[in-house]
Amino acid sequence: MERIYLDHAATTPMHPSVVEKMMEAMANTFGNPSSIHSFGREARHSIDTAREELARSIGAKENEIIFTSGGTEADNMALFGVAEGYQHIGKHIITTKIEHHAVLHACQKLEKLGFEVTYLPVDETGKISLTDLSRELREDTILVSIMYGNNEVGTIQPISEIGQLLKDHQALFHTDAVQAYGIEGIDVNRCGIDLLSVSAHKINGPKGIGFLFSRDHVKLVPRSFGGDQERKRRAGTENLASIIGLHEAVRISGKMQTEKRSAFIEYKEIFIQQLTEQNIEFKLNGILEESLPHVLNLSFPGTNVEAMLVNLDLAGIAVSSGSACTAGSVKPSHVLVAMFGEESERLTNSIRYSFGYNTTKEQIIKAACETAKVVSRLKK
């Protein structure tokens, strides 16, 4: 039985070229980047080259890229670093109800430390209101953290408009771009972004590496102490092999971006068409336009998410939901709760399909047909 992986929003398989570059680095480039001898200089050159590529990919400067252990650390570094660095100006932060838990849980911790956090609502498409954001801005607001594209339903926020709104305000603008980077063209200057989080394992790179873009004027208090690495913003010997892997993943992702976008948009259309032709009842969570092309979240009335996931897995289809499934209970997706309310049936019957560079049209057709079979069987 062919196993079809349609959970790329959770993590992606490493690209063979990334594996090759990392193996080569682990075998041959073992010097400490902080050492001044030739072995250290070789390692430092690899890091500098990677930093250049990453900065170029978002229109940033090299000194504005901070390597992290992934998206969670990047989010935490942005929120806690800014909160501590600017608390003398104000202690008010604005975010949304649909952020990744790396942001939400960080905000909850900051509330315990005396900061005030406003959680913006979203409409049924998953978008915030610029009017709401404008209304909630205060003189003591120091940070606005709004994700670029949602990891569960794919909705893209009006990032450029948010940046424009904050242009004349003291608040810094952070965006969690973990799900959008590599698939959306991002320019931090055009969008007015001050801080941006990225994770390698979402773009066919290794787990455990990512970066935070922090504009050079941002006062970012470090979260770790020891050496002078990352211009004293993040202590610790750099994870060289993973940085090289991230560099290669970014390089490949940049070359394939247009091709991937076109393919993923077509995959969504094919998937929906297949379900429609087989008279399967479903509802789209989010919107097709202004959404991440690789994320498709569907609600199947009359089904149960746990049964759907198990049956699809038995059919060789790997997908996910926004729910944390445990024995005998389901914790509803906070994203779907924010979009549809706590009483919506969509909380218990929604499935996320997400595509990657090695997904094929044939796999999409088969996955849609298997989904149709499972839905029909469960509704009998």
Side-chain angles (χ1 to χ4, degrees):
M1 178 179 66
E2 179 190 12
R3 292 195 303 162
I4 299 175
Y5 184 75
L6 296 180
D7 199 19
H8 292 263
T11 194
T12 60
M14 283 173 61
H15 193 283
S17 181
V18 172
V19 176
E20 182 181 343
K21 292 285 185 182
M22 290 182 68
M23 291 292 287
E24 182 182 334
M26 286 188 281
N28 302 315
T29 314
F30 61 85
N32 189 316
S34 297
S35 300
I36 62 172
H37 48 61
S38 61
F39 294 93
R41 292 198 305 273
E42 287 175 5
R44 174 58 55 194
H45 176 71
S46 295
I47 291 176
D48 291 343
T49 303
R51 202 186 304 273
E52 289 174 14
E53 181 84 34
L54 270 49
R56 187 163 50 246
S57 72
I58 56 172
K61 293 183 283 189
E62 296 164 41
N63 66 350
E64 297 175 322
I65 302 298
I66 306 169
F67 289 109
T68 69
S69 62
T72 294
E73 186 190 351
D75 284 342
N76 275 245
M77 182 181 287
L79 270 69
F80 287 105
V82 168
E84 186 173 345
Y86 291 85
Q87 60 182 330
H88 63 287
I89 296 175
K91 303 186 80 171
H92 180 233
I93 295 167
I94 298 174
T95 187
T96 80
K97 293 182 178 180
I98 64 166
E99 297 298 308
H100 189 277
H101 284 119
V103 169
L104 290 178
H105 289 169
C107 284
Q108 290 164 11
K109 176 64 176 179
L110 286 168
E111 287 180 293
K112 294 178 181 178
L113 296 175
F115 290 84
E116 185 180 351
V117 181
T118 297
Y119 299 90
L120 297 175
V122 295
D123 61 21
E124 287 202 351
T125 71
K127 276 197 173 187
I128 66 154
S129 161
L130 290 170
T131 302
D132 286 347
L133 173 57
S134 180
R135 184 170 52 243
E136 296 294 347
L137 279 172
R138 306 184 331 208
E139 289 185 1
D140 62 338
T141 305
I142 57 172
L143 178 65
V144 174
S145 180
I146 296 175
M147 69 187 344
Y148 202 108
N150 187 262
N151 51 299
E152 289 190 27
V153 297
T155 302
I156 294 176
Q157 300 298 337
I159 297 298
S160 295
E161 290 86 346
I162 295 170
Q164 186 66 28
L165 180 63
L166 297 175
K167 187 174 68 170
D168 298 320
H169 194 282
Q170 69 176 11
L172 296 171
F173 180 23
H174 166 253
T175 185
D176 178 339
V178 166
Q179 205 61 240
Y181 181 80
I183 193 70
E184 295 293 320
I186 300 174
D187 186 315
V188 293
N189 297 308
R190 179 175 53 80
C191 294
I193 297 168
D194 297 303
L195 303 111
L196 176 143
S197 304
V198 169
S199 182
H201 78 98
K202 305 293 187 179
I203 57 167
N204 308 107
K207 294 174 179 63
I209 189 72
F211 72 85
L212 173 68
F213 156 75
S214 177
R215 204 172 286 281
D216 52 13
H217 68 76
V218 174
K219 180 183 178 183
L220 195 70
V221 176
R223 307 299 299 159
S224 60
F225 303 90
D228 293 339
Q229 292 88 354
E230 299 303 294
R231 292 180 172 85
K232 298 183 179 181
R233 296 169 298 189
R234 183 182 186 264
T237 303
E238 297 89 344
N239 184 352
L240 180 62
S242 291
I243 289 172
I244 288 173
L246 169 58
H247 179 195
E248 180 67 5
V250 170
R251 188 189 67 79
I252 294 170
S253 184
K255 287 176 61 178
M256 296 177 63
Q257 186 169 300
T258 302
E259 178 186 337
K260 285 193 299 183
R261 285 186 60 83
S262 298
F264 298 161
I265 291 171
E266 183 184 10
Y267 292 166
K268 279 189 180 182
E269 293 171 350
I270 291 172
F271 203 103
I272 290 172
Q273 181 185 355
Q274 289 291 319
L275 294 178
T276 302
E277 289 178 354
Q278 298 187 53
N279 296 314
I280 298 300
E281 182 185 2
F282 67 92
K283 297 174 183 176
L284 177 67
N285 295 327
I287 45 178
L288 285 178
E289 306 79 17
E290 298 178 36
S291 68
L292 299 174
H294 67 297
V295 177
L296 178 64
N297 194 306
L298 300 176
S299 162
F300 297 99
T303 68
N304 173 274
V305 64
E306 288 179 301
M308 283 285 291
L309 291 176
V310 170
N311 278 270
L312 285 170
D313 188 43
L314 290 172
I317 313 297
V319 293
S320 70
S321 75
S323 306
C325 298
T326 55
S329 66
V330 175
K331 184 179 180 182
S333 155
H334 69 285
V335 175
L336 297 182
V337 168
M339 291 169 63
F340 304 113
E342 294 181 354
E343 303 302 319
S344 174
E345 66 170 4
R346 299 194 194 206
L347 307 186
T348 58
N349 63 25
S350 294
I351 300 293
R352 181 188 68 185
Y353 303 83
S354 48
F355 320 132
Y357 86 95
N358 54 358
T359 306
T360 66
K361 190 181 300 185
E362 291 72 25
Q363 289 178 333
I364 293 297
I365 294 171
K366 182 176 179 181
C369 290
E370 291 295 338
T371 297
K373 291 177 186 176
V374 171
V375 172
S376 298
R377 188 162 64 244
L378 292 178
K379 291 184 72 171
K380 283 185 179 179

